[in-house]
Amino acid sequence: MTKQVDPITLDLIENALLNARFEMDSVVVRVALSPVIREQHDEFPMICNPDGQMVVGQFGSYIPAIVEQYKDNIHEDDIFVWNDPYACKGSISHNNDWCVMMPIFHEGVHVGFSSIFGHMVDVGGKVPGSMPADAYSIWEEGLRVPPVKIYEKGKLNDAVLQIMLNNSRTPDMNRADLMALVAGCRTAAKRVREICDRFGRDTYLSACDLLMDRTREAMRVLITNYIPEEPVTFTDYVDDDGVGNGPFKIHLSIYRRGDVAVIDWTGTDDQAEGPINFHIHEGLCKLFFGVYMIMAFDPKIMFNEGFYDLFEIILPEGSLLNPRFPAALSNRLNTHTRFFDCQAGALGQRAPHLSMAAGYGTSPHFIYTGKDKNGKYFQLMELLFGGVPGRPRGDGLDGHAWWPLFSATPIEYIENYYPVLVESYRPVRDAGGAGLHRGGAGIEKVYRVLEAGSISIHDDREVVPPWGINGGLHGGTSSKWLVRAGSDEPERIKSKLDNLKVEPGDKIIFITAGSGGWGDPLDRPVEKVLRDVNDGLVSQEKAEADYGVVISDDMVIDTAATTALRAQMKTTRGEPAPFDFGFIPGVHQAAE
């Protein structure tokens, strides 16, 4: 029976849990060794109730599947680890993500779980970094660990640890990062026990239930207000799968049946031969939709799993979003982020004033490996960012991550620990789609390698541009270039490749995609257009062609010419289209 909890106590417990969740982040980044977790924060913590439902955090849904496997064989000070997507029903979506879970007990009574997963820089497989661009099965993507106990009643299972580290090219980094995840979970467990000591265990458990109920009721209101009973559909595309196939269609239909939102991915293309399949857990799909709706429509609502019964998910088996084993999964983020774009495109049709355009479209990575002058193996992995889309509140963000807490690896860190120089790092001019609110620009990063080695890169939206919305225009696409030492001629290389040999002095130019604009660019204040031109984000030519703003060579707006041009452009164009998809090669109809 749920105990009554007064509003002030509920607020105190809520914020104590949120603080514990952020303390988990803080502990992890202090203990971790790899740049991906230590510098870029590619780790996702959560705190759950005794049923394994996320009360605070970012990614939920996976604890019940692990509990189901172990049933009564879960004890105080046990800590579990796993990374196999197929063994946990897709809650971890590729082998690089190692997940740690710890049951939390208070005075011998089970009161919840803490859990974190983080991206390991290498887990074996056919290429350094374990994310081969040309994998045809998960067998090529590194070690797969089913849910096992890394600690049993507080005692380290060294055999499991050694097996995991023995299959990595970067065992020292992996060990440090794994122990960082363990430390984060232990920190959360300590804080939850303190909350139980302070307020009482029954009060804490009742507060968790009430926080879930409150989020459920808030989500019910959002679903009623923003999801129609008639289906709304949207289609977007992934460029290719890395082995020569594509584009791949992702199709979404959303409608409401009473209080329940039906999310139907029927019409999405069959699973790919290459590694862009996204084996998404049904609960995780619910969480992504709930989080999107909260961020778009009412950011004050707390993230948790209380709203899960308000969503019905249809994921056709054998599709890009529900592939059959042993489909390759390592580069699933192309599909994952297009999943978000489809959400925005569908939900934005009912509430265009709260919608946003499409972003840079994946989580681009750059991997550089070799041996330094002392013969020591090195492996640099960096996640790059791009344009975050235009939105109702203003312009998109330039060179920013999709994930709110991610940050760029400091150039000083890269140059201090790896034989590489970063010669430039800047936004790409004209990459942000024109709009009343401009889309965020992609970035251009130039690496000059100092030792012989090999590089692997992965990116998307090289072919299919990020679309604009509410009259906004599509953003710029990505590209990759290699300039050999002693040459000034850049050679274009694929957006998905592995083991490209490089020599000292070679340069890699990594350009990520921008994002779509929001709203009519002919309504954008002219002083903002001039500011973007002065900042190098928009060219004078694009200012005139897309925004109708005439700027002289000495950077002065020609007011009369601008007024006349904008009037002419509006007359010629008529009402702006709700979406601007740009040109998509091989696709005859870009949206339905």
Side-chain angles (χ1 to χ4, degrees), residues 408-425:
T409 306
I411 291 171
E412 296 83 355
Y413 180 97
I414 294 173
E415 295 182 342
N416 190 45
Y417 287 101
Y418 299 97
V420 63
L421 293 177
V422 178
E423 295 202 337
S424 67
Y425 183 57

Side-chain angles (χ1 to χ4, degrees), residues 172-249:
D172 293 343
M173 282 190 177
N174 285 34
R175 191 186 198 284
D177 289 0
L178 176 60
M179 293 306 157
L181 302 181
V182 170
C185 286
R186 286 175 170 163
T187 298
K190 180 180 180 181
R191 298 299 177 236
V192 168
R193 285 193 289 267
E194 290 172 352
I195 297 171
C196 290
D197 287 340
R198 179 181 177 187
F199 297 100
R201 182 169 59 243
D202 291 343
T203 298
Y204 169 73
L205 293 173
S206 294
C208 289
D209 291 341
L210 291 170
L211 291 172
M212 303 269 282
D213 291 343
R214 190 178 67 185
T215 296
R216 184 189 187 279
E217 177 58 23
M219 183 59 67
R220 188 189 63 78
V221 173
L222 294 185
I223 288 172
T224 302
N225 289 343
Y226 295 110
I227 295 185
E229 293 182 338
E230 292 298 317
V232 177
T233 66
F234 195 82
T235 303
D236 207 344
Y237 296 84
V238 180
D239 283 358
D240 64 276
D241 64 351
V243 295
N245 307 304
F248 286 84
K249 177 176 69 174

Side-chain angles (χ1 to χ4, degrees), residues 264-588:
D264 186 356
W265 296 96
T266 301
T268 295
D269 278 348
D270 292 343
Q271 66 191 64
E273 286 187 284
I276 64 165
N277 301 291
F278 183 27
H279 183 44
I280 184 171
H281 186 281
E282 180 181 314
L284 200 57
C285 186
K286 294 178 179 180
L287 183 71
F288 288 152
F289 266 90
V291 168
Y292 181 90
M293 292 184 67
I294 288 170
M295 294 301 294
F297 303 136
D298 192 350
K300 297 186 297 297
I301 299 172
M302 184 181 185
F303 296 163
N304 62 43
E305 294 186 25
F307 53 73
Y308 272 25
D309 66 323
L310 297 177
F311 287 91
E312 178 184 333
I313 306 297
I314 300 172
L315 291 165
E317 186 177 1
S319 70
L320 204 60
L321 293 170
N322 188 12
R324 297 184 180 92
F325 178 83
L329 308 173
S330 59
N331 290 307
R332 83 287 182 226
L333 272 169
N334 302 326
T335 304
H336 188 171
T337 47
R338 210 66 78 255
F339 175 107
F340 293 148
D341 290 334
C342 283
Q343 283 181 297
L347 293 172
Q349 293 176 46
R350 177 67 183 265
H353 60 294
L354 296 173
S355 63
M356 67 177 185
Y360 63 99
T362 184
S363 188
H365 69 246
F366 171 78
I367 298 173
Y368 169 42
T369 60
K371 291 186 177 181
D372 63 20
K373 59 185 178 183
N374 298 316
K376 184 179 178 181
Y377 177 77
F378 64 85
Q379 182 172 316
L380 166 65
M381 177 184 172
E382 182 178 20
L383 303 175
L384 287 92
F385 308 141
V388 173
R391 54 218 165 116
R393 64 181 296 178
D395 294 346
L397 304 176
D398 305 315
H400 201 279
W402 263 118
W403 314 107
L405 299 181
F406 275 24
S407 60
T409 306
I411 291 171
E412 296 83 355
Y413 180 97
I414 294 173
E415 295 182 342
N416 190 45
Y417 287 101
Y418 299 97
V420 63
L421 293 177
V422 178
E423 295 202 337
S424 67
Y425 183 57
R426 59 190 177 191
V428 178
R429 182 178 295 173
D430 294 331
L436 171 65
H437 299 150
R438 176 181 53 79
I443 59 100
E444 176 192 279
K445 197 163 193 174
V446 179
Y447 303 89
R448 178 156 62 91
V449 301
L450 304 180
E451 298 287 353
S454 64
I455 65 165
S456 295
I457 61 175
H458 194 93
D459 202 358
D460 204 69
R461 286 219 182 272
E462 182 183 49
V463 175
V464 180
W467 42 265
I469 195 169
N470 298 338
L473 304 185
H474 67 275
T477 53
S478 65
S479 62
K480 311 292 171 286
W481 306 82
L482 173 66
V483 182
R484 294 292 186 184
S487 171
D488 293 325
E489 292 297 322
E491 166 195 347
R492 187 151 187 174
I493 55 179
K494 294 180 179 179
S495 67
K496 302 173 180 66
L497 61 81
D498 292 310
N499 292 326
L500 176 66
K501 300 302 180 184
V502 291
E503 298 294 333
D506 289 352
K507 295 181 183 180
I508 297 89
I509 303 172
F510 200 122
I511 298 174
T512 64
S515 59
W518 190 100
D520 190 346
L522 299 180
D523 292 334
R524 184 170 176 82
V526 294
E527 61 272 14
K528 288 188 176 182
V529 178
L530 179 62
R531 181 196 64 193
D532 287 343
V533 172
N534 284 324
D535 289 346
L537 295 170
V538 175
S539 66
Q540 285 178 259
E541 294 77 16
K542 280 288 188 179
E544 185 169 331
D546 291 348
Y547 292 98
V549 176
V550 181
I551 301 173
S552 66
D553 291 339
D554 55 353
M555 294 293 109
V556 175
I557 296 173
D558 186 330
T559 303
T562 295
T563 301
L565 179 58
R566 283 188 154 186
Q568 177 191 346
M569 291 173 70
K570 284 193 174 186
T571 300
T572 303
R573 182 201 61 194
E575 282 297 313
F579 295 97
D580 174 40
F581 291 91
F583 175 69
I584 305 178
V587 176
H588 300 295

Side-chain angles (χ1 to χ4, degrees), residues 2-15 198-200 202-204 206-208 210-211 214:
T2 301
K3 182 177 179 179
Q4 291 295 319
V5 181
D6 66 85
I8 294 176
T9 299
L10 183 62
D11 188 58
L12 289 170
I13 292 175
E14 175 187 2
N15 283 281
R198 179 181 177 187
F199 297 100
D202 291 343
T203 298
Y204 169 73
S206 294
C208 289
L210 291 170
L211 291 172
R214 190 178 67 185

